[in-house]
């Protein structure tokens, strides 16, 4: 039995909106960032296979050894392989970053979209809650909470980072939802008696996908930086191995500046992961902002025609005049 034509058109329009929402990942910046992020994800998944040694395996015959054939990134003061620690530490960084991003994004979507759609005291109460979390000093609060546990789990660290990092995304989603609730298609869905969950889930959320993705990426960046900061200051125990833990032990044992192989690779990994997430965020911003999107499309069109974007003068091509016979 074939579906009604109205239902088929509604389904096609929903799929079309979802396709346009995920078109933000088709530009060069997002693709580059996704490739780098994919590389770190593969390293985290296959860390047991890729690491040449155990993260705490000691070689007392090679203490503070510079990069060599047996230890590609050198060793620590206890003869531990730096490359193996980097590979195993990638998993903890990505788990905390993405867990905190998912939890914070869910909280931001629920509170932000609800505060933007409802009216009256309920909207003002949720907005006041968002403002309170927005001005909370995140890092001192995270240090206080994490220091209360002798061996905090990655889920606990992710939850604390998420609770202190959802407010910015919630405020942006509230503002965007308030601009959407008076659109014609929302008013039509409300007039047709559509339930609230369907108006928000089917009509609004596809139009908020780019904002939600940008909020998620920004939260992941903040969570990664927060985790490495907590590990570097010594709040997180050494059992939770990550890139910040490597920097902590390097600082505690006088690796700066002589033993560069101990701290430079971890710093580069943090910078590369941050750059990948920032490139994804830039690509999303270019898609969300119509001015940036049109400028990017013009720049790509000019590059295809062989015209340099930095050129101050555009070459005018003229056709040769045909002589009359």
């Amino acid at each position: 039995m074939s579906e009604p034509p109205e239902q088929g058109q509604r389904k096609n329009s929903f799929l079309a909106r979802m396709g346009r929402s995920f078109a933000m990942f088709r530009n060069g910046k997002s693709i580059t960032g996704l490739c780098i992020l994919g590389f770190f994800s593969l390293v985290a998944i296959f860390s047991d296979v890729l690491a040449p040694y155990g993260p705490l395996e000691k070689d007392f015959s090679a203490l503070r050894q510079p990069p060599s054939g047996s230890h590609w990134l050198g060793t620590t003061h206890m003869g531990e392989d730096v490359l193996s620690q980097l590979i195993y530490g990638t998993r903890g960084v990505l788990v905390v970053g993405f867990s905190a991003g998912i939890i914070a994004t869910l909280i931001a979507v629920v509170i932000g979209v609800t505060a933007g759609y409802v009216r009256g005291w309920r909207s003002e109460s949720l907005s006041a809650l968002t403002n309170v979390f927005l001005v909370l000093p995140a890092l001192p609060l995270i240090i206080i909470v994490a220091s209360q546990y002798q061996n905090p789990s990655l889920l606990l660290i992710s939850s604390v980072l998420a609770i202190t990092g959802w407010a910015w995304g919630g405020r942006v989603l509230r503002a965007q939802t308030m601009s959407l609730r008076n659109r014609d298609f929302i008013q039509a869905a409300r007039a047709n008696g559509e339930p609230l969950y369907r108006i928000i889930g089917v009509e609004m959320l596809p139009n908020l996908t780019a904002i939600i993705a940008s909020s998620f990426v920004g939260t992941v960046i903040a969570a990664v930086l927060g985790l490495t900061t907590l590990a570097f200051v010594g709040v997180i125990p050494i059992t939770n191995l990550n890139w910040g833990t490597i920097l902590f032990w390097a600082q505690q044992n006088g690796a700066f500046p002589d033993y560069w192989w101990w701290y430079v690779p971890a710093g580069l990994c943090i910078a590369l992961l941050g750059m990948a997430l920032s490139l994804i965020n830039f690509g999303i911003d270019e898609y969300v902002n119509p001015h940036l999107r049109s400028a990017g499309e013009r720049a790509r069109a000019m590059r295809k025609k062989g015209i340099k974007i930095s050129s101050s003068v555009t070459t005018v091509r003229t056709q040769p005049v045909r002589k009359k016979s």
Side-chain angles (χ1 to χ4, degrees), residues 126-147:
L126 293 174
S127 177
L129 178 65
T130 304
N131 292 335
V132 168
F133 278 89
L134 196 63
V135 299
L136 280 179
L139 187 60
L141 181 62
I142 294 171
I143 292 175
I144 292 172
V145 174
S147 61

Side-chain angles (χ1 to χ4, degrees), residues 29-325:
K29 294 177 183 178
S30 296
I31 292 174
T32 304
L34 288 172
C35 290
I36 299 174
L37 183 60
F39 168 76
F40 281 115
S41 300
L42 291 175
V43 170
I45 294 172
F46 300 104
S47 58
D48 297 330
V49 178
L50 297 175
Y53 304 95
L56 301 178
E57 184 178 344
K58 298 174 176 58
D59 183 5
F60 294 105
S61 62
L63 303 180
R64 293 179 177 174
Q65 184 184 39
S68 61
S70 56
H71 300 281
W72 289 3
L73 291 180
T75 59
T76 66
H77 67 298
M78 296 293 290
E80 298 159 342
D81 187 64
V82 175
L83 176 61
S84 300
Q85 291 188 347
L86 276 178
I87 293 174
Y88 276 98
T90 306
R91 181 179 297 175
V93 170
L94 293 186
V95 167
V96 171
F98 280 95
S99 300
I102 292 171
I103 297 172
T105 303
L106 289 176
I107 298 173
V109 169
V110 171
I111 295 180
V113 175
T114 304
Y117 185 79
V118 300
R119 303 172 188 268
W121 64 270
R122 293 174 295 179
S123 176
E124 296 299 327
S125 300
L126 293 174
S127 177
L129 178 65
T130 304
N131 292 335
V132 168
F133 278 89
L134 196 63
V135 299
L136 280 179
L139 187 60
L141 181 62
I142 294 171
I143 292 175
I144 292 172
V145 174
S147 61
Q148 300 301 314
Y149 296 86
Q150 191 171 12
N151 188 13
S153 63
L154 294 179
L155 181 59
L156 175 64
I157 298 171
S158 304
S159 301
V160 174
L161 291 170
I163 291 173
T164 58
W166 66 269
W168 179 85
R171 189 157 184 82
V172 173
L173 285 171
R174 177 180 180 268
Q176 191 68 19
T177 305
M178 291 177 67
S179 68
L180 284 176
R181 70 184 180 187
N182 295 322
R183 299 283 181 88
D184 293 339
F185 64 94
I186 299 295
Q187 296 293 338
R190 190 184 294 120
N192 288 334
E194 298 285 355
L196 178 61
Y197 73 89
R198 194 179 189 285
I199 294 176
I200 294 178
V202 177
E203 302 294 340
M204 280 192 168
L205 285 184
N207 294 279
L208 296 173
T209 306
I211 303 294
I212 294 172
S214 179
S215 174
F216 171 76
V217 172
T219 306
V220 173
I221 295 174
V224 169
L225 294 177
L227 173 67
T228 52
T229 302
L230 291 174
F232 183 71
V233 300
V235 176
I236 297 178
I238 59 174
T239 54
N240 292 331
L241 184 65
N242 58 74
W243 298 337
T245 310
I246 298 173
L247 295 176
F248 168 78
W249 283 115
Q251 189 267 339
Q252 288 291 316
N253 292 277
F256 302 95
D258 297 330
Y259 306 107
W260 58 268
W261 59 86
W262 195 347
Y263 58 88
V264 169
L268 286 177
C269 287
I270 296 172
L272 276 175
L273 182 58
M275 183 186 73
L277 295 170
S278 299
L279 286 173
I280 296 173
N281 209 3
F282 292 157
I284 296 172
D285 288 340
E286 182 178 322
Y287 175 81
V288 173
N289 192 325
H291 299 289
L292 292 177
R293 184 167 67 247
S294 60
E297 290 173 355
R298 286 196 301 269
R300 285 189 287 271
M302 292 174 65
R303 280 196 294 265
K304 288 182 179 179
K305 294 180 180 179
I307 303 173
K308 294 183 179 180
I309 303 173
S310 58
S311 299
S312 57
V313 179
T314 303
T315 305
V316 179
R317 298 179 180 178
T318 59
Q319 293 182 353
V321 179
R322 296 182 179 178
K323 295 181 180 180
K324 295 182 180 180
S325 57

